Amino acid sequence: MRKLNAAVDRFAYSHPRFGIPNLMKFIVAGSVLVYLLAVLAGGYDSVRFLSFDWNAITSGELWRLVTFIFMPGYYSTGDVLWLALFLYFYYMIGNVLEREWGTAKFTLYYLSGVVLTLIVGIATALITGQNVQIGGTSYVNLSMFFAFAILYPDAQIFLFYIIPLKAKWLAWIDAAFFALTVVLNLVQLNTLNALLPIVALLNFFVFFWTNISDEIAYRRGRSRHQTSAQTIHFKSAVKQQRKRAQQQGYRHKCEVCGRTDADYPDLQFRYCSKCAGYHCFCEDHIFNHTHFTS
């Protein structure tokens, strides 16, 4: 996975002119046009000819391999508010990702999600022998939000323009939705609808595997450090030192000259890392003392 991630970065760096500038503008504009056509012509059936339909594709309607991208998922006048909300949200996220990554990498991210969706649809049709239909790339759009949340975890987003949430928490809600969708479709033996969110996540992991694996390694290392004997002993020593400071009236005392921070508040005190145990020295003796060995 890390090699795929590196290959993506190399490709984007080597082909800066690859891609479609302002890609999300075209996706949103196409979705609005399909929605308007559906509303004016009588609903979903009037735009069905644009969706992915394997039987129709094998009959020569090859445009469906592309036009299904613009199926908005909303087709009536009562859905206009939801459509506007989601299209604006994805347009905003897409623009942020394109500015962060550049046109080449963002286009590759979106198109690879679309290609994986097509592969799953075609493979499912060939394996099961059934007619497969896909209307839109909603899971690809949702996976864009995972990318946004990784890059800007603390960005403030107003859910339904009312409830303020950080992107990282909203991403967990998004993940729960993905998981629930997969489980429900597996229970219903709906293989296609179970695989579509999985391949959207696969695309996300390819692009962010380095970030995710580095974060996991960092958290593991931090956990090991916090539970290590050295850290525990150090924390214990700090507590003992604070207790002694309360009893003795000072926090630091030089092991060589006996000066304390209470008597000499401007004097710097340090602890020697080469001495056995935790021994304090003033700035005059931190580098000029005999190390404790036991």
Side-chain angles (χ1 to χ4, degrees):
M1 195 73 79
R2 187 179 287 269
K3 290 182 179 180
L4 283 175
N5 181 269
V8 167
D9 288 335
R10 285 197 304 271
F11 178 86
Y13 179 79
S14 302
H15 302 83
R17 296 186 179 180
F18 171 81
I20 305 171
N22 298 313
L23 174 61
M24 288 309 298
K25 179 175 69 176
F26 297 103
I27 300 295
V28 169
S31 299
V32 171
L33 288 176
V34 173
Y35 170 77
L36 292 176
L37 178 61
V39 169
L40 296 174
Y44 174 72
D45 288 339
S46 61
V47 295
R48 187 190 296 271
F49 70 96
L50 298 174
S51 66
F52 180 99
D53 185 301
W54 182 242
N55 287 346
I57 291 172
T58 55
S59 298
E61 298 181 9
L62 299 180
W63 65 83
R64 292 174 179 264
L65 294 171
V66 176
T67 56
F68 86 100
I69 298 172
F70 305 105
M71 299 294 285
Y74 299 97
Y75 306 100
S76 67
T77 53
D79 296 331
V80 64
L81 182 60
W82 289 108
L83 178 69
L85 176 66
F86 284 110
L87 287 183
Y88 172 77
F89 187 62
Y90 294 134
Y91 176 75
M92 181 270 293
I93 289 175
N95 282 344
V96 171
L97 292 177
E98 185 171 355
R99 286 197 300 268
E100 177 70 25
W101 283 341
T103 298
K105 187 172 181 177
F106 175 69
T107 302
L108 193 62
Y109 183 84
Y110 197 90
L111 293 186
S112 60
V114 171
V115 170
L116 285 172
T117 300
L118 288 172
I119 291 174
V120 168
I122 295 171
T124 302
L126 294 175
I127 293 172
T128 63
Q130 299 176 350
N131 183 34
V132 169
Q133 297 179 337
I134 304 175
T137 55
S138 58
Y139 293 115
V140 177
N141 293 335
L142 284 171
S143 74
M144 285 198 310
F145 181 67
F146 283 124
F148 177 84
I150 287 286
L151 295 173
Y152 305 99
D154 294 321
Q156 194 87 327
I157 294 176
F158 287 86
L159 187 62
F160 305 121
Y161 292 97
I162 299 174
I163 306 172
L165 284 175
K166 288 187 177 181
K168 58 184 177 183
W169 303 125
L170 199 54
W172 282 111
I173 297 175
D174 198 0
F177 171 77
F178 268 63
L180 182 62
T181 300
V182 172
V183 171
L184 291 178
N185 282 290
L186 287 176
V187 171
Q188 298 171 4
L189 301 180
N190 191 331
T191 306
L192 176 65
N193 287 338
L195 287 175
L196 289 178
I198 291 175
V199 297
L201 287 178
L202 176 63
N203 185 49
F204 164 77
F205 281 123
V206 167
F207 277 73
F208 281 93
W209 183 252
T210 298
N211 302 68
I212 294 171
S213 60
D214 288 348
E215 179 67 17
I216 292 173
Y218 167 75
R219 290 184 179 275
R220 284 180 177 175
R222 184 178 179 183
S223 177
R224 285 195 298 267
H225 172 72
Q226 291 177 338
T227 57
S228 67
Q230 182 179 6
T231 302
I232 294 173
H233 291 160
F234 176 76
K235 291 180 178 179
S236 177
V238 170
K239 291 180 180 179
Q240 292 175 5
Q241 181 194 44
R242 289 176 179 173
K243 186 176 180 179
R244 287 196 303 268
Q246 292 176 351
Q247 296 172 346
Q248 300 172 350
Y250 60 85
R251 293 183 60 189
H252 306 294
K253 180 179 179 180
C254 179
E255 296 278 3
V256 176
C257 64
R259 289 184 292 181
T260 68
D261 59 331
D263 297 327
Y264 300 89
D266 294 330
L267 198 63
Q268 297 291 323
F269 292 87
R270 296 290 185 270
Y271 285 82
C272 180
S273 60
K274 296 182 180 180
C275 288
Y278 294 92
H279 296 278
C280 183
F281 301 91
C282 67
E283 60 189 40
D284 296 329
H285 297 107
I286 183 64
F287 300 113
N288 182 23
H289 66 269
T290 302
H291 296 298
F292 287 82
T293 58
S294 62

